[in-house]
């Protein structure tokens, strides 16, 4: 660099000196010219240093020069610092933007013009089953091999989204992923993915729920319609008329109970969780549900069940009294309905060592097989459908219990052994329990 700058200055200066000395010019001019050459060389060196620095400008390592060259360096250094700061700010904004996309619940994949993966957040990688670092630069069609996705790319109509199977916890339980491609820029693409497994499951549950409600209501309505038609078309004796009216009242009560349970579930799902302001004596709740259970047993069992209270402790429970009574009554009602007449049923409260409280109901019924226990709180799920309908059950009792206990921050535990009976435990957290000594 320095040689390229100095060579023309030196050659021109030497030629001029030689010419002047040959025509006998004064040495004064030669000395002046040599001084000018020296200054030119010095200035050229500084220019060369400036050019070398400009090739790789570093504001913190600028050369020290004087005169106009120093002014050029200072202005250049300020410009370089400004550009560096601007680049740093741009990098910071880009990092913030990528961090925001990384935290998005939706998957984001950036594709280049050749359909290669440029960048993907962890959510998209989880949805589609690839590694965002290792698989960068791979063709997206090689990473997502679902037939529906291949057809989507071949069709090239990206105005709608499609659903494909994603990687699930087990091959038999894949997740459902919704994705859509949005073209942008110069033949680039943005692919958005969403996990819609829960939405599809909720939709399936909604359809099943509507179907079950329709079925549960249609059965008593059919019975009622049949009896009404019979009473309208046939002359009946008083005894037959009384019997038919009794059966009709029974079916009407069944529908009324079903509607009441549905309204209870709707209210529990749509209202805020109860606060911790109201404290209720656990013994008061227990006596109430025991009295109800004895009344139900007297009506549907002969001989009635042996219903007793376990030795319970003096504790107070915080929550919604009506909801707690509803949950406890459902557990007691189930025990009465499914335990053979004359057998023992017990219930009580226990203050656990960790501070939580447990309301338990123990029966001596037929028990429940292990495969049924995880599904007991599903709406309209019955272990024995015929037995439940015979005793007036709606299939919603344990679903109500589950919602109540969850709204109070607790859980429902079930243990059972075939032929020996079952124990249902409604467990409330320590924050909703208070012993008598602390009242």
């Amino acid at each position: 660099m320095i040689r390229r700058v100095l060579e023309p200055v030196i050659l021109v200066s030497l030629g001029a000196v030689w010419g002047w000395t040959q025509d006998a010019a004064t040495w004064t001019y030669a000395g002046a010219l040599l001084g000018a050459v020296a200054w030119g060389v010095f200035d050229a060196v500084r220019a060369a240093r400036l050019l070398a620095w400009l090739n790789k400008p570093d504001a913190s390592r600028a050369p020290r020069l004087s005169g106009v060259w120093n002014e050029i360096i200072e202005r250049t250094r300020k410009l370089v610092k400004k550009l560096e700061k601007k680049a740093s700010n741009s990098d910071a904004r880009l990092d913030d933007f990528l961090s925001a996309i990384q935290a998005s619940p939706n998957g984001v994949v950036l594709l280049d013009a050749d359909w290669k993966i440029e960048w993907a957040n962890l959510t998209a990688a989880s949805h589609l089953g690839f590694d965002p670092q290792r698989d960068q630069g791979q063709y997206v069609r090689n990473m997502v091999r679902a037939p529906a996705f291949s057809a989507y790319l071949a069709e090239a109509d990206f105005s709608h989204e499609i659903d494909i199977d994603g990687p699930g916890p087990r091959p038999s339980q894949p997740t459902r992923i919704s994705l859509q491609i949005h073209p942008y820029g110069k033949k680039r693409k943005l692919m958005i993915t969403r996990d819609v497994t829960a939405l599809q499951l909720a939709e399936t549950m909604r359809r099943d729920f509507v179907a079950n409600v329709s079925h549960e209501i249609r059965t008593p309505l059919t019975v009622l319609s049949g009896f009404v038609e019979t009473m309208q078309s046939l002359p009946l004796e008083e005894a037959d008329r009384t019997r038919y009216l009794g059966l009709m009242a029974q079916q009407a009560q069944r529908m009324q109970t079903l509607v009441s349970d549905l309204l209870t579930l709707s209210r529990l799902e749509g209202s805020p969780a109860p606060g911790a302001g109201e404290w209720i004596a656990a013994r008061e709740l227990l006596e109430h549900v025991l009295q109800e259970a004895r009344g139900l047993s007297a009506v549907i069992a002969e001989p009635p069940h042996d219903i007793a209270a376990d030795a319970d402790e003096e504790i107070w429970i915080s929550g919604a009294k009506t909801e707690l009574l509803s949950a406890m009554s459902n557990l007691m009602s189930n025990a009465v309905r499914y335990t053979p007449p004359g057998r023992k049923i017990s219930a009580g409260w226990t203050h656990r060592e960790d501070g939580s409280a447990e309301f338990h109901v123990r029966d001596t019924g037929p028990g429940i097989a292990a495969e049924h226990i995880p599904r007991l709180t599903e709406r309209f799920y019955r272990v024995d459908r015929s037995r439940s309908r015979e005793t007036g059950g709606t299939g919603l009792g344990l679903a109500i219990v589950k919602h109540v206990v969850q709204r109070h921050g607790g859980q429902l535990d079930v243990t059972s052994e075939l032929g020996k009976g079952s124990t249902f435990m409604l467990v409330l957290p320590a924050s909703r329990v208070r012993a008598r000594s602390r009242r």
Side-chain angles (χ1 to χ4, degrees):
M1 175 66 72
I2 295 176
R3 199 182 80 176
R4 288 201 300 269
V5 174
L6 294 180
E7 273 183 355
V9 176
I10 293 173
L11 290 175
V12 171
S13 300
L14 290 178
V17 171
W18 181 81
W20 286 341
T21 53
Q22 289 297 318
D23 59 11
T26 63
W27 286 95
T28 302
Y29 291 107
L33 185 58
L34 288 175
V37 170
W39 178 258
V41 171
F42 178 66
D43 214 31
V45 170
R46 291 189 295 179
R49 292 178 62 189
L50 174 61
L51 291 174
W53 177 70
L54 289 176
N55 282 333
K56 294 183 178 180
D58 183 354
S60 62
R61 301 182 63 181
R64 296 179 178 274
L65 302 176
S66 59
V68 69
W69 300 111
N70 184 64
E71 182 66 20
I72 294 173
I73 287 178
E74 284 300 314
R75 294 189 181 187
T76 305
R77 187 174 62 84
K78 290 179 180 179
L79 179 60
V80 169
K81 289 185 68 175
K82 185 177 180 180
L83 293 175
E84 287 179 346
K85 184 177 181 180
K86 186 176 181 180
S88 178
N89 291 337
S90 298
D91 291 341
R93 286 196 297 270
L94 177 60
D95 290 340
D96 290 341
F97 178 71
L98 293 179
S99 297
I101 298 179
Q102 198 69 264
S104 171
N106 294 331
V108 178
V109 183
L110 302 181
L111 304 170
D112 64 13
D114 296 324
W115 296 93
K116 292 182 180 180
I117 299 173
E118 286 189 324
W119 184 87
N121 64 356
L122 294 176
T123 305
S126 175
H127 287 170
L128 302 175
F130 63 82
D131 189 301
Q133 300 295 330
R134 183 193 62 212
D135 295 326
Q136 189 171 347
Q138 296 292 327
Y139 288 102
V140 69
R141 59 173 53 90
N142 293 338
M143 299 292 101
V144 185
R145 297 183 176 274
F149 182 70
S150 299
Y152 186 56
L153 297 184
E155 185 182 356
D157 179 10
F158 306 132
S159 60
H160 63 282
E161 59 184 21
I162 62 169
D163 292 346
I164 63 172
D165 287 339
R170 291 188 295 273
S172 60
Q173 293 182 333
T175 56
R176 289 296 290 174
I177 304 300
S178 173
L179 64 84
Q180 185 172 8
I181 293 175
H182 303 271
Y184 77 98
K186 295 182 178 180
K187 296 185 178 181
R188 305 169 78 85
K189 292 92 182 172
L190 171 69
M191 186 164 70
I192 305 295
T193 65
R194 294 184 300 122
D195 189 339
V196 295
T197 308
L199 293 177
Q200 293 195 357
L201 180 60
E203 179 62 20
T204 301
M205 291 177 64
R206 186 193 65 81
R207 289 196 300 267
D208 292 344
F209 178 70
V210 172
N212 283 324
V213 170
S214 301
H215 176 74
E216 294 291 335
I217 290 180
R218 185 170 60 246
T219 301
L221 277 177
T222 302
V223 175
L224 279 172
S225 298
F227 283 139
V228 169
E229 183 179 349
T230 299
M231 295 180 69
Q232 288 177 336
S233 60
L234 296 176
L236 298 174
E237 296 182 358
E238 188 63 29
D240 290 336
R241 182 183 298 274
T242 301
R243 183 167 63 88
Y244 287 169
L245 287 173
L247 292 173
M248 292 169 67
Q250 181 181 357
Q251 295 302 321
Q253 179 62 39
R254 178 179 171 186
M255 285 193 294
Q256 184 177 357
T257 303
L258 176 61
V259 171
S260 177
D261 284 350
L262 288 172
L263 290 175
T264 299
L265 269 177
S266 177
R267 178 176 55 80
L268 292 174
E269 292 177 343
S271 60
E278 182 182 2
W279 290 90
I280 314 111
R283 180 169 293 176
E284 176 186 340
L285 298 176
L286 177 62
E287 290 174 354
H288 183 92
V289 297
L290 286 176
Q291 184 177 357
E292 283 187 348
R294 292 188 180 108
L296 177 62
S297 178
V299 173
I300 68 173
E302 182 60 39
H305 299 88
D306 177 14
I307 300 176
D310 289 335
D312 63 316
E313 304 174 35
E314 284 286 343
I315 56 176
W316 277 259
I317 305 300
S318 171
K321 183 176 180 179
T322 55
E323 293 185 16
L324 292 171
L325 281 174
S326 175
M328 295 168 63
S329 295
N330 271 298
L331 293 182
M332 289 297 297
S333 173
N334 283 348
V336 171
R337 295 177 190 279
Y338 289 98
T339 301
R343 294 194 183 180
K344 183 176 181 179
I345 299 173
S346 62
W349 283 94
T350 302
H351 197 190
R352 293 183 169 185
E353 293 183 359
D354 61 359
S356 62
E358 166 199 301
F359 171 71
H360 58 266
V361 177
R362 296 188 179 94
D363 65 52
T364 52
I368 304 169
E371 63 268 20
H372 293 295
I373 290 179
R375 302 190 60 188
L376 287 177
T377 57
E378 294 181 15
R379 298 174 184 182
F380 298 110
Y381 184 82
R382 296 182 175 96
V383 177
D384 186 346
R385 291 183 176 273
S386 61
R387 172 65 176 166
S388 178
R389 290 196 175 95
E390 287 174 3
T391 56
T394 63
L396 296 173
L398 288 179
I400 292 174
V401 174
K402 182 190 72 171
H403 277 77
V404 169
V405 71
Q406 288 181 344
R407 284 165 53 81
H408 285 76
Q411 62 186 33
L412 176 65
D413 295 332
V414 182
T415 60
S416 185
E417 186 176 351
L418 287 176
K420 294 187 177 181
S422 307
T423 300
F424 288 78
M425 293 163 285
L426 191 159
V427 183
L428 298 179
S431 60
R432 290 189 176 272
V433 181
R434 192 163 63 185
R436 180 177 185 179
S437 60
R438 296 171 55 189
R439 189 179 183 185

